[in-house]
Amino acid sequence: MNVNGRPMRTIWPAADCRAVEIIDQRLLPHELVVARLTTRDDVAHAIKNMAVRGAPLIGAAAAYGMMLAVAEDASDARIELSVAVLGATRPTAVNLWWALDRMRIALLPLPPRRRHEAALALAGEIADEDVALNRAIGEYGLPLIEAAWRRKGPDGPVQILTHCNAGWLATVDWGTALAPVYRAHDAGIPVHVWVDETRPRNQGASLTAWELQQHGVPHTVIADNASGHLMRHGRVDLCITGTDRTTAAGDVANKIGTYLKALAAHDNAVPFYVALPSPSIDWSLDNGDDIPIEERDAREVTHIAGWTGTGERVEVRLTPEGSPAANPAFDVTPARLVSGLITERGVCPASREGLLGLFPERDARAKALLRRAAFGIRRFVDTGEIE
Ligand code: MRU
């Protein structure tokens, strides 16, 4: 997307292909700082301390982290260790493991001398694919906003509520939940976005507001607790959020607070959509309660960062000294509260049937795996041999 009129992505390989450059999102919206990451560990730190964040971007960053890892040492042991190091950064976003598995499977069969070049190419492919998937999400989500506009008639803009940041800053470009919003805005459909501040790290207040402002999309930042009230008073036409991991049965893990928005939306008959590229689907899980939920440092709750009038970044304490705090970073919204999933292949119900309708190859794969398992069991029963 454009920043001050210039197209920009959130991550890109440095010209010498021996480093990766990112927008350090911890300093937004007040400073636009490009950071240079030169080692695998730099990337791991950037994911852990959230200089880069958002499930699809975490996946792309991990892929580039593998590229930097094999630039230093292209051995099998290095690849295995780097998958473990990068994989240990954050537990909830499934895109992380999706990207690491893809890199590992592609690199191990290659001779070490070819691994850096191949890793660079594949990380670039994963980044470009992410952009294409998000564009498609924008196309398939647009009719949902158009329909809301038609329902409203002349009664002002389509009021969309979003939680956290699932815009282009959370991906390589275009975003997921915000992609249909950008498409609608660019198509001349009047939209207005209610932006949840999204405590405790305020991704909404700092990142979503910034990128909507950059694109000229009307928006209003609200306290997280204001959204139920706005829905109850008919000031929200639809909700669109992102996801860090959606199960094969449509349960959605996303930023803490998303579940509460879905409950309020359900109680007020406000459509609640979740936008996701397919790498955010965990086909090995049905039940959302099996998704690992990250617990982050309590300091993110007890303290808050901001900018003084003279442009310094300061952190201040909110809570009394010694008061304990807890900081679960994500929650799970059960499929029953999700009106639909907006994917790169279309919109479907939040269910196994819905997702397999758009991704039938996953059903075949699941069946093949089952057949294989059954064969293995039968063979063991017959011969006592393990396959
Ligand atoms: O902790 P974060 O900022 O990485 O959490 C991000 C979210 O919850 C996003 O909504 C999600 O990753 C989807 S991003 C397209």
Side-chain angles (χ1 to χ4, degrees):
M1 296 300 251
N2 287 346
V3 176
N4 305 326
R6 203 169 56 85
M8 206 170 185
R9 286 185 172 189
T10 51
I11 190 167
W12 56 94
D16 62 6
C17 301
R18 292 270 162 190
V20 175
E21 295 180 344
I22 59 160
I23 296 174
D24 185 339
Q25 300 192 20
R26 296 169 300 174
L27 305 174
L28 288 174
H30 304 286
E31 292 176 80
L32 177 60
V33 173
V34 171
R36 185 178 162 86
L37 311 177
T38 56
T39 66
R40 173 203 67 197
D41 293 350
D42 284 351
V43 173
H45 289 138
I47 295 173
K48 189 121 189 91
N49 63 32
M50 296 179 64
V52 288
R53 31 73 45 205
L57 177 54
I58 290 171
Y64 280 116
M66 290 300 293
M67 181 275 282
L68 294 175
V70 295
E72 288 174 48
D73 162 1
S75 64
D76 290 10
R78 176 72 171 175
I79 290 175
E80 301 295 3
L81 177 62
S82 302
V83 166
V85 168
L86 290 161
T89 50
R90 298 186 71 192
T92 307
V94 74
N95 306 60
L96 175 61
W97 280 103
W98 171 87
L100 291 172
D101 286 343
R102 201 163 154 193
M103 296 297 287
R104 182 178 175 280
I105 290 164
L107 296 177
L108 282 177
L110 298 174
R113 72 183 186 293
R114 289 195 33 226
R115 290 176 174 173
H116 175 241
E117 188 194 338
L120 180 64
L122 184 53
E125 221 177 281
I126 287 172
D128 292 344
E129 268 175 30
D130 181 61
V131 177
L133 296 179
N134 299 331
R135 264 184 201 283
I137 288 170
E139 295 308 320
Y140 283 115
L142 175 61
L144 298 171
I145 299 178
E146 278 170 341
W149 188 35
R150 277 195 299 277
R151 277 196 301 276
K152 285 194 76 131
D155 283 354
V158 178
Q159 305 270 10
I160 300 163
L161 183 127
T162 195
H163 187 68
C164 193
N165 173 257
W168 71 272
L169 288 172
T171 65
V172 176
D173 206 350
W174 268 93
T176 60
L178 293 187
V181 173
Y182 289 130
R183 274 302 281 110
H185 176 77
D186 294 349
I189 296 172
V191 294
H192 168 263
V193 183
W194 296 109
V195 178
D196 277 352
E197 61 182 342
T198 317
R199 284 278 296 152
R201 289 185 69 106
N202 305 306
Q203 287 92 328
S206 59
L207 306 177
T208 301
W210 180 77
E211 58 170 280
L212 290 173
Q213 198 181 60
Q214 286 288 330
H215 203 83
V217 178
H219 61 280
T220 306
V221 177
I222 55 172
D224 291 324
N225 295 331
S227 46
H229 166 75
L230 292 168
M231 291 187 216
R232 211 158 158 269
H233 292 275
R235 299 180 65 189
V236 178
D237 298 307
L238 71 162
C239 300
I240 314 180
T241 76
T243 176
D244 287 81
R245 186 183 305 221
T246 290
T247 72
D251 287 351
V252 169
N254 194 44
K255 182 50 56 187
I256 197 79
T258 305
Y259 173 48
L260 297 179
K261 312 296 148 177
L263 283 171
H266 184 73
D267 192 47
N268 294 286
V270 174
F272 186 89
Y273 291 99
V274 173
L276 71 164
S278 53
S280 298
I281 302 171
D282 185 340
W283 296 98
S284 73
L285 288 182
D286 272 347
N287 185 342
D289 295 336
D290 297 331
I291 296 174
I293 298 294
E294 181 182 12
E295 286 280 340
R296 291 188 62 87
D297 195 306
R299 194 180 173 85
E300 294 182 353
V301 173
T302 58
H303 291 67
I304 191 165
W307 269 254
T308 65
T310 49
E312 290 128 75
R313 186 173 185 277
V314 292
E315 200 187 53
V316 294
R317 168 181 280 282
L318 293 173
T319 56
E321 194 81 41
S323 267
N327 188 13
F330 300 95
D331 59 22
V332 173
T333 297
R336 63 183 170 76
L337 295 176
V338 179
S339 311
L341 300 173
I342 312 170
T343 77
E344 74 268 18
R345 293 190 189 173
V347 180
C348 68
S351 66
R352 173 169 279 280
E353 299 66 34
L355 282 168
L356 290 178
L358 292 179
F359 300 92
E361 74 279 11
R362 282 287 168 178
D363 194 18
R365 222 172 97 80
K367 287 201 174 99
L369 282 173
L370 280 173
R371 266 198 307 279
R372 188 125 183 248
F375 174 77
I377 293 164
R378 207 171 31 253
R379 183 188 162 94
F380 176 70
V381 171
D382 296 348
T383 66
E385 283 165 21
I386 302 234
E387 189 185 44

